[in-house]
Amino acid sequence: MASSRTIVPFTAKEVEEMRALEIEDATNRKEKELKDRKARTQMLAYPLNSSRTIAEYESAHTLRINNQPVGHDDGVITTILDESKKTNVYEVVPYFSTNILPMLIVAYLLWSLLYFGYRAALTINKANPYTIAFSAAFLLVEVISFFATIIHYNNFTSITTNVLKMTLPEVLHKQKQDYPRVNVYVCCYKEPVKIVNRTVSLAMEMNYPPDRLNVSICDDSFNFDENRGREHARHMHKAFLVGILKRSVAKVFSTDYVGVTGEYDDRSGLLKDFTDSVSKTTKEAMEREVEWFVQYFLDNPFPAELDSGIIDGPQIRDLIQQLRADSFHPYRTFTEDELEAFESCSLETLRVVYDGDSFLQLVILCALFRRPHMFQLVERLQRAKKLRFVSPQALALARYQVLMLGRLEVDDPVVSVGNVRLDFVSTGEIECPSATYIRRRKPKIPHNKAGNINNALFNESNEMDFEFVVLLDADQKPHAEFLQRTLPYFYSASGKNIAWIQTPQFFSNIF
């Protein structure tokens, strides 16, 4: 039987009394906060002096909070002043959950004692002093090896591992910081282009804000293979173009399939599985179509009819003459005016420069990607049923620019005598991780991989470009959550003492 309850409203006097109590509580809280802040300020104003003992300091300046004295042990200052700023990002836990390893070490000790007893009693040759000394020397070497093994095993009795307690977004939110700028260096020399391209593509697809991520190829193949360096630059341009076009298509065409799970009961879960499967298949089809279209554009950059109706001005003619005088060498920087001249010149002129040098081809391809004939090409492929996701709207969003920032220096035995540098950056609404191709002309003392990294760090970068550096070998495949799992350690309470983090490597496809 349900019971009825009568609700009696508060009187005006009771409401006023409750408001007065709330105001009084708020005033008391503010006074307590001011008192605590004053106590912390007093602690800051009188730091510990090495010439005075802790007892003298406590007697002269006793910290009181709410009229209660607080001691001054070694960690009280950090506890009181920095407790709110302290971030416990990870914890150290034992690697082994059982005591199997210590038990094995004890078994090894017992067996070793039996072994040495057997060696000393039954294997020493006592025929003469020389054989005794010779046998004893071998036994001594085994004893020394035994103690070295014990020391080695002792280091493994307390193996620990670090387990994250907070994600990177949680850490940055708590410390009120923005995502740091990260530059990923992929160093290469003799590696095949396909392997390097796979590493670069996976690095650009890592789960990280695209405007805070840059991926660089540090190519050291100048003295090994001239054509291989050009292929590295072409594949980096392709990976960047695929990445920005994927994001543009995803913004125009949603790959999430709208099923019927919201309208009908899905007790078996089959409708949800079908919806997820269709969404996954649609996304994969979109990505494959983008890769196909980018390859189609790179193989056929110029339209069938080159008559664009544009007459080149004196600026572009002077630029072409200068490039020919320099034999189209890539060790130079193109100014903004020169890049704008490329974008506004005729297709015939672009074709001439395109056939001149492989590194300049990437600048020309960027200029061609902005031309009106590209939109006509997409519409024609759509009418031919060859494109479904790539549209003129997506093409208009995929705005990017190729900056050529090379330099040529005098001959030097240590410093690189010139660099080829190409920067691929997004300039439109769609953000994509930027990419950089760096290729140095080696000096007489190249210092190999270390010199390659130092050239990228000190000759081609500054402290404003990035806050963290990631070094990847050419054949490594970075996980999508690599940065999310490594950067939080630098923001821990002891992060200021961390300068380097190395992660485990898992080997596969070894032949």
Side-chain angles (χ1 to χ4, degrees):
M1 179 178 179
S3 62
S4 60
R5 179 179 298 177
T6 304
I7 300 177
V8 181
F10 291 106
T11 62
K13 184 178 180 180
E14 290 175 339
V15 172
E16 292 179 359
E17 291 178 354
M18 286 189 293
R19 289 179 178 175
L21 289 175
E22 292 177 356
I23 295 174
E24 184 179 357
D25 292 340
T27 305
N28 292 336
R29 285 197 300 269
K30 289 183 179 180
E31 292 178 355
K32 184 177 180 299
E33 291 176 359
L34 291 174
K35 191 179 298 183
D36 294 346
R37 191 180 305 168
K38 184 177 180 181
R40 294 187 177 92
T41 306
Q42 181 182 0
M43 176 65 75
L44 286 173
Y46 298 95
L48 287 173
N49 193 333
S50 59
S51 63
R52 302 170 62 186
T53 63
I54 295 180
E56 293 175 350
Y57 178 83
E58 289 181 352
S59 62
H61 307 286
T62 301
L63 177 64
R64 293 178 176 272
I65 297 180
N66 294 337
N67 295 325
Q68 297 295 328
V70 179
H72 293 83
D73 54 9
D74 293 339
V76 70
I77 297 179
T78 304
T79 302
I80 294 177
L81 300 182
D82 297 334
E83 187 65 30
S84 60
K85 300 180 181 179
K86 187 176 181 181
T87 306
N88 295 323
V89 177
Y90 65 94
E91 61 180 351
V92 181
V93 299
Y95 189 81
F96 294 99
S97 59
T98 61
N99 295 326
I100 295 179
L101 187 61
M103 293 170 60
L104 292 176
I105 294 175
V106 172
Y108 171 77
L109 289 174
L110 295 177
W111 180 259
S112 299
L113 292 176
L114 294 175
Y115 170 78
F116 285 121
Y118 162 77
R119 287 280 284 112
L122 301 177
T123 62
I124 298 296
N125 191 344
K126 303 176 182 179
N128 54 63
Y130 296 103
T131 57
I132 294 175
F134 193 76
S135 301
F138 275 97
L139 181 60
L140 179 62
V141 171
E142 292 185 21
V143 172
I144 294 175
S145 300
F146 167 74
F147 282 108
T149 304
I150 291 299
I151 295 175
H152 178 71
Y153 282 164
N154 181 64
N155 295 333
F156 281 91
T157 55
S158 58
I159 302 179
T160 59
T161 184
N162 301 322
V163 178
L164 287 176
K165 298 174 58 179
M166 301 177 63
T167 63
L168 181 59
E170 292 174 348
V171 174
L172 297 176
H173 176 73
K174 182 175 181 180
Q175 298 189 3
K176 298 180 180 180
Q177 297 189 33
D178 195 5
Y179 279 87
R181 296 180 299 275
V182 179
N183 200 345
V184 181
Y185 286 138
V186 180
C187 302
C188 60
Y189 175 45
K190 292 185 177 181
E191 295 80 7
V193 177
K194 183 178 180 180
I195 294 179
V196 179
N197 181 49
R198 180 194 63 184
T199 304
V200 171
S201 300
L202 292 176
M204 296 184 66
E205 294 176 359
M206 287 192 294
N207 181 19
Y208 201 74
D211 59 325
R212 314 295 286 180
L213 179 62
N214 182 80
V215 180
S216 302
I217 286 184
C218 301
D219 185 14
D220 225 11
S221 63
F222 174 77
N223 293 9
F224 170 68
D225 191 345
E226 184 81 11
N227 294 326
R228 179 164 294 186
R230 292 171 177 151
E231 289 298 321
H232 284 316
R234 291 195 192 101
H235 280 276
M236 168 159 269
H237 174 244
K238 178 182 176 181
F240 176 83
L241 191 54
V242 167
I244 191 172
L245 194 55
K246 281 182 181 179
R247 290 172 170 81
S248 301
V249 172
K251 186 176 181 61
V252 175
F253 188 95
S254 176
T255 58
D256 294 332
Y257 177 74
V258 181
V260 296
T261 56
E263 301 177 5
Y264 300 95
D265 191 8
D266 186 20
R267 298 180 180 180
S268 62
L270 295 178
L271 295 178
K272 182 180 183 303
D273 294 341
F274 175 77
T275 301
D276 296 340
S277 177
V278 171
S279 299
K280 181 180 179 181
T281 305
T282 305
K283 183 178 180 181
E284 292 176 352
M286 181 267 290
E287 293 176 351
R288 297 295 180 268
E289 181 178 301
V290 169
E291 294 174 0
W292 178 88
F293 175 75
V294 170
Q295 189 62 50
Y296 181 89
F297 163 68
L298 297 178
D299 293 340
N300 306 275
F302 292 92
E305 299 293 335
L306 291 180
D307 186 10
S308 58
I310 300 177
I311 300 177
D312 297 326
Q315 182 181 6
I316 189 63
R317 290 197 295 266
D318 295 341
L319 177 59
I320 300 301
Q321 292 179 0
Q322 182 180 355
L323 292 176
R324 287 176 175 171
D326 296 337
S327 300
F328 290 96
H329 74 78
Y331 300 95
R332 61 161 294 162
T333 295
F334 281 87
T335 64
E336 294 184 2
D337 294 338
E338 292 174 339
L339 291 175
E340 292 180 358
F342 272 129
E343 294 180 2
S344 59
C345 66
S346 63
L347 293 176
E348 293 84 351
T349 302
L350 290 180
R351 184 61 179 266
V352 172
V353 182
Y354 186 84
D355 296 335
D357 184 84
S358 297
F359 286 104
L360 296 180
Q361 287 179 358
L362 306 181
V363 180
I364 304 304
L365 287 173
C366 178
L368 290 171
F369 197 76
R370 301 167 178 262
R371 292 300 180 95
H373 74 270
M374 286 298 300
F375 297 92
Q376 300 172 4
L377 171 64
V378 172
E379 293 176 352
R380 185 169 68 252
L381 292 176
Q382 283 184 332
R383 289 193 298 269
K385 307 294 185 181
K386 294 183 178 181
L387 291 181
R388 176 187 174 190
F389 303 99
V390 179
S391 62
Q393 294 82 1
L395 202 65
L397 293 176
R399 300 288 89 186
Y400 76 102
Q401 191 172 15
V402 178
L403 305 177
M404 201 162 186
L405 305 174
R407 55 186 174 83
L408 185 63
E409 297 179 352
V410 297
D411 193 6
D412 191 276
V414 179
V415 182
S416 63
V417 295
N419 273 0
V420 175
R421 173 165 179 166
L422 295 166
D423 286 342
F424 307 92
V425 295
S426 57
T427 58
E429 180 181 351
I430 302 299
E431 294 182 347
C432 181
S434 57
T436 303
Y437 173 84
I438 301 174
R439 178 182 179 185
R440 65 169 180 159
R441 295 184 67 183
K442 293 183 180 180
K444 297 178 181 178
I445 307 176
H447 296 288
N448 301 329
K449 186 175 182 179
N452 189 14
I453 296 175
N454 287 335
N455 173 68
L457 287 174
F458 300 107
N459 293 340
E460 297 297 330
S461 305
N462 56 60
E463 60 183 7
M464 300 300 296
D465 291 339
F466 53 81
E467 300 172 58
F468 294 96
V469 176
V470 178
L471 297 180
L472 296 177
D473 289 340
D475 57 348
Q476 291 180 332
K477 298 170 60 177
H479 193 273
E481 302 296 327
F482 177 81
L483 295 176
Q484 300 288 338
R485 297 294 301 276
T486 54
L487 289 180
Y489 291 101
F490 292 101
Y491 293 91
S492 62
S494 59
K496 60 182 179 181
N497 299 323
I498 299 177
W500 186 272
I501 292 179
Q502 186 172 5
T503 63
Q505 301 181 33
F506 301 91
F507 296 91
S508 62
N509 298 330
I510 300 177
F511 55 91

